[in-house]
Amino acid sequence: MRRRAEAWERFAATSVPTEAEEVWRYSGIDGFDLDAYAPAPLAAGLESTLAVARRLADSLGPRAGLVVTRNGTIEAIEMERSAPEALSVTNTRTAPRAAAAPETLGELAPGRDAFGELHDAFVSDVVLVGVPRKTVVADPIVVVHLVDPGAHGAPGVAVFPHMLVDLGTSSEAGVIELTAPIVSDGPLPAGDESDTTPSPMLLVPVTELRVADDSHLRYGNLQVLGQGATSIALQASCVGRDASLQSFTAGLGGRYARVRTDSDLLGQAGRTSLLAAYLGTGEQVHDFRTLQDHHAPRTESQLLFKGAVADTARSVYSGLIRIRKGARGANAFQTNHNLVLSEGAHADSVPNLDIDENDVRCSHASTVGPIDEEQRYYLETRGIAPAVAERLIVLGFFSDLAGRAPFPGVGRWVEEAVHRRMAGRLSAQGGTDG
Amino acid sequence: MTATSPTTEVSRGGSHELVIDGLRAGVAGLEVLTGVDLVVRSGEVHAVMGPNGSGKSTLAHVLMGKPGYQVLGGTVTLDGEDLLRLAPFERARLGLFLAPQDPIEVPGVGLHQTLTEALAGRGMSPDDAKGSLAARALVEAQRVGLETRLLERPLNVDLSGGERKRSETLQMALLQPNIAVLDELDSGIDIDGLHDVAQRVRDGVAEWGLGVLAITHYRRLLSVLQPDVVHVLVRGRIVASGGPELAGELERTGYAAFETAARADDSGTGIQN
């Protein structure tokens, strides 16, 4: 409670960010009204919540366990028999405090802004995934965050999910987080505009990934919120010596969805691979801010973010590679490619380097452009309608990313979601057959 | 897109006719085709030869409707249908095929997937398209000498020039167009490859009555293709047509005589615009 109160005081003392600040440039935050939201009341447990979550998780392939949250409250934790006994998945609100967890909670990602404070003030449950040293968990733990907008109308619900993954030395595990509105049946959500009455909701999720020396974490994050959702997410990771993090983020949903990714390479020869795919249609805004922060020698970070915007959607990618003094022999790569599918759509790409050490290899590349006319024409010469050609090219654009996803099920899921979104666009346009 | 869709039903073994009449076209404000007349029917093989810059590739692109080219006059019909008012994909569905001179890479878009969509666009159900393709593609790959592992690869990505031409020929064989325009099918491919693809085209003429308009610089392709007619394209129009022997004559004497005559002709009548 004290933590909460302190966070609230800090929040109250902080001003809500404006676009005048570089890290919020292009974000549209100036039009944001926090008073339109209220923290979600504790939801009554519903049988259907679990069924929906299982169905979503099943689509991602085999798993070691399933955690289901509803409006930020943990509803269920189910472990598969195949999961190693040493693996611990708990709720820090109800479980005895694990050695590693709450004292250090919130320590990652220093320099948090007003939304970080807001999160700390209102967070209810924390999903704690603890993997003891030398433990190998083959299948991923799937964490499904469901958001129930409740009754329509203002204020919208505000939800503050939190997950902490803690890998001990020489361990291996995978975790997939999936955030979706609660939909009891029908096809899997693709973050599309099919919800005709978008419910306003605010999500401020925090994910902390601690990868100790010589351990290896695979992480997937899939966000398919409806068009009424504002999401301001933080993913913070620290990677130790000879350790690795492979991360894949898919941003498909939300009206405004921001993900800040802070990746700290703390031990020598630590490695991160940061991948993200995003697709915006309608009036969506996707906003990615990344930091590849190299503290130690011979560390390596590979970042590849790819996105497409259509209609009047917008995207922002802004990333910084920081090589600190002492991080000799570091390798850092940052690549951002954007496809702009409509005249009214817009993508910004701002890569940056900040290097305080010699003997390092860094590169960044970014592109923003429309679909290659020659490619579209070539497919047309085979008898493929332009809108179908566009869908194929967009799918092709994402296919290398999907192929490199740390879980095959996640790669497939993203390809299918993009396919459905593009096909939906096609029929919505009344385009020619395909 | 709002235009009425052309019929997607392709009648096999029927007689089809591509009629080019007085076609004038240009690119970037320059008139390149100055009046092309040509008729290609099912089962016929026509070769168009000509020096660089004579308008050969422009002819291919204008027939398919590539953006950026302007039609300045004349008509083109396929089985009586006005091709020039149709989008490229509609022309393809009507039975026109273009194997471009330099097939481009389309990253992430598989050959198989492309053909499935192409057949689906011609009215075949996706399941049927997939089912019939898989087996036929293997056979066709063998016939054109394309390694079967390349069937699953993205279109033309990391393929050699020769592999691209084999892939184009395979796609043509699987789509079975009525009229195929082959723009320098012989460029970038070695002798063995050239024989494979030319033989496949020739077989198509016999198998389903394919009509061919083959644009080339060299006689090599024609020794297998065995054209019925050879046309000489100079300064944007056909200045001579003849039997296969014309190709041999061109190889001995070059285009100089034709060019001189065409230039004299142009200055006599004056180039419009």
Side-chain angles (χ1 to χ4, degrees):
Chain A
M1 265 339 265
R2 196 167 50 83
R3 241 192 105 73
R4 260 183 216 291
E6 284 170 5
W8 176 251
E9 276 173 27
R10 283 196 304 273
F11 169 72
T14 320
S15 48
V16 174
T18 70
E19 281 175 68
E21 296 169 56
E22 178 58 31
V23 293
W24 288 91
R25 228 173 125 197
Y26 314 114
S27 67
I29 192 75
D30 289 357
F32 179 72
D33 176 16
L34 189 58
D35 292 334
Y37 304 94
L42 291 185
L46 288 180
E47 197 59 38
S48 68
T49 310
L50 199 52
V52 171
R54 283 196 191 119
R55 190 170 53 84
L56 291 173
D58 286 348
S59 65
L60 298 171
R63 60 179 177 265
L66 174 66
V67 180
V68 184
T69 78
R70 182 187 171 97
N71 290 356
T73 306
I74 297 177
E75 295 263 315
I77 299 177
E78 298 180 332
M79 301 306 291
E80 299 292 318
R81 263 197 289 273
S82 60
E85 237 168 77
L87 171 66
S88 103
V89 180
T90 53
N91 178 357
T92 55
R93 196 183 61 168
T94 56
R97 299 197 151 196
E103 307 84 71
T104 56
L105 202 151
E107 231 178 52
L108 283 169
R112 301 179 63 179
D113 54 29
F115 289 100
E117 304 297 358
L118 192 67
H119 174 92
D120 284 359
F122 287 102
V123 61
S124 65
D125 292 359
V126 175
V127 178
L128 172 62
V129 177
V131 184
R133 60 194 298 267
K134 293 193 173 167
T135 303
V136 174
V137 189
D139 293 326
I141 295 125
V142 178
V143 181
V144 178
H145 300 292
L146 291 172
V147 185
D148 181 1
H152 288 292
V157 294
V159 181
F160 304 88
H162 196 124
M163 181 178 77
L164 169 59
V165 179
D166 200 348
L167 259 63
T169 49
S170 306
S171 65
E172 283 181 43
V175 178
I176 301 171
E177 278 190 288
L178 191 157
T179 308
I182 194 158
V183 184
S184 52
D185 49 15
L188 292 173
D192 65 10
E193 46 286 333
S194 61
D195 62 322
T196 46
T197 53
S199 311
M201 51 178 79
L202 170 67
L203 277 89
V204 188
V206 172
T207 300
E208 298 175 80
L209 309 172
R210 299 160 187 275
V211 191
D213 292 352
D214 193 39
S215 62
H216 304 282
L217 175 63
R218 292 172 297 143
Y219 172 70
N221 185 309
L222 309 170
Q223 184 271 101
V224 285
L225 290 163
Q227 299 269 311
T230 295
S231 175
I232 296 169
L234 171 65
Q235 297 174 359
S237 64
C238 58
V239 172
R241 181 174 47 81
D242 297 318
S244 72
L245 165 67
Q246 284 179 273
S247 163
F248 183 99
T249 298
L252 297 170
R255 169 69 179 78
Y256 170 72
R258 175 183 174 97
V259 181
R260 170 176 157 192
T261 303
D262 286 11
S263 167
D264 283 295
L265 288 153
L266 300 178
Q268 61 175 314
R271 301 187 310 279
T272 55
S273 157
L274 305 172
L275 307 176
Y278 46 98
L279 170 62
T281 55
E283 298 183 318
Q284 287 185 291
V285 180
H286 289 117
D287 181 356
F288 292 90
R289 313 281 162 153
T290 67
L291 172 64
Q292 296 153 265
D293 201 344
H294 292 247
H295 299 253
R298 302 199 321 281
T299 42
E300 179 179 309
S301 65
Q302 300 258 11
L303 179 145
L304 175 60
F305 276 37
K306 291 177 95 167
V309 281
D311 307 326
T312 56
R314 289 195 299 125
S315 70
V316 181
Y317 170 79
S318 172
L320 176 65
I321 292 174
R322 181 186 291 152
I323 311 284
R324 298 189 185 235
K325 197 127 197 74
R328 228 165 289 118
N331 288 319
F333 307 98
Q334 187 187 58
T335 307
N336 174 231
H337 294 304
N338 297 280
L339 270 184
V340 180
L341 303 175
S342 314
E343 291 256 321
H346 186 78
D348 286 296
S349 182
V350 189
N352 279 296
L353 295 173
D354 176 5
I355 300 172
D356 281 331
E357 185 54 89
N358 302 314
D359 183 30
V360 298
R361 278 206 307 150
C362 295
S363 73
H364 58 199
S366 87
T367 59
V368 176
I371 280 187
D372 186 317
E373 277 303 323
E374 296 271 340
Q375 292 178 8
R376 195 206 313 258
Y377 168 67
Y378 180 72
L379 292 179
E380 270 204 71
T381 66
R382 305 294 118 125
I384 296 172
V388 177
E390 181 175 294
R391 168 163 60 77
L392 291 176
I393 292 167
V394 172
L395 274 169
F397 173 75
F398 286 115
S399 70
D400 62 329
L401 258 186
R404 285 169 58 187
F407 311 94
V410 167
R412 266 199 313 277
W413 186 91
V414 168
E415 287 193 312
E416 281 165 21
V418 171
H419 181 96
R420 276 203 306 280
R421 282 288 286 285
M422 294 305 292
R425 230 174 91 65
L426 210 142
S427 58
Q429 288 174 332
T432 346
D433 54 303
Chain B
M1 301 274 270
T2 48
T4 51
S5 252
T7 169
T8 52
E9 194 164 312
V10 176
S11 47
R12 292 276 157 248
S15 183
H16 302 280
E17 191 177 49
L18 175 73
V19 180
I20 305 168
D21 186 11
L23 180 64
R24 291 169 47 234
V27 63
L30 200 73
E31 184 169 337
V32 180
L33 299 181
T34 55
V36 174
D37 301 304
L38 194 58
V39 178
V40 181
R41 295 186 185 85
S42 289
E44 294 178 357
V45 177
H46 293 249
V48 172
M49 304 183 77
N52 288 326
S54 59
K56 300 193 299 297
S57 282
T58 298
L59 175 62
H61 289 312
V62 169
L63 289 177
M64 201 32 121
K66 185 174 188 177
Y69 290 83
Q70 297 92 39
V71 174
L72 305 170
T75 60
V76 180
T77 61
L78 179 55
D79 299 339
E81 188 105 30
D82 178 7
L83 274 192
L84 298 178
R85 64 168 190 89
L86 299 179
F89 78 98
E90 295 171 314
R91 301 182 193 198
R93 288 180 188 181
L94 209 54
L96 187 68
F97 181 86
L98 168 64
Q101 186 181 344
D102 294 307
I104 62 160
E105 298 189 351
V106 190
V109 180
L111 173 60
H112 220 277
Q113 188 184 14
T114 302
L115 290 168
T116 304
E117 291 290 353
L119 289 175
R122 287 161 173 79
M124 195 182 272
S125 84
D127 284 344
D128 288 352
K130 260 182 208 150
S132 88
L133 262 180
R136 287 176 59 216
L138 287 176
V139 173
E140 291 298 344
Q142 192 114 45
R143 293 181 72 175
V144 301
L146 187 72
E147 288 181 57
T148 51
R149 66 182 173 85
L150 300 182
L151 292 174
E152 299 303 327
R153 285 264 285 275
L155 282 171
N156 301 319
V157 173
D158 296 332
L159 262 56
S160 70
E163 285 166 341
R164 288 178 197 213
K165 295 305 171 80
R166 291 178 197 265
S167 169
E168 288 299 313
T169 310
L170 169 135
Q171 292 177 56
M172 184 208 73
L174 289 170
L175 295 174
Q176 298 203 346
N178 301 327
I179 306 287
V181 179
L182 312 173
D183 190 3
E184 298 197 15
L185 192 63
D186 47 1
S187 71
I189 190 165
D190 61 26
I191 289 281
D192 293 342
L194 181 58
H195 184 271
D196 290 344
V197 299
Q199 187 61 52
R200 186 65 195 94
V201 173
R202 187 70 236 178
D203 290 348
V205 176
E207 283 170 24
W208 72 86
L210 174 69
V212 178
L213 180 59
I215 291 166
T216 181
H217 271 299
Y218 304 107
R219 201 169 59 143
R220 264 190 341 203
L221 175 72
L222 304 182
S223 65
V224 182
L225 265 190
Q226 299 169 9
D228 304 291
V229 194
V230 174
H231 307 274
V232 182
L233 186 73
V234 172
R235 293 173 76 83
R237 63 181 182 276
I238 287 165
V239 295
S241 298
E245 72 285 347
L246 185 54
E249 186 188 325
L250 282 171
E251 203 154 72
R252 280 191 305 277
T253 62
Y255 299 105
F258 293 105
E259 284 185 287
T260 310
R263 200 172 296 119
D265 197 22
D266 283 344
S267 53
T269 59
I271 300 180
Q272 292 78 23
N273 305 321

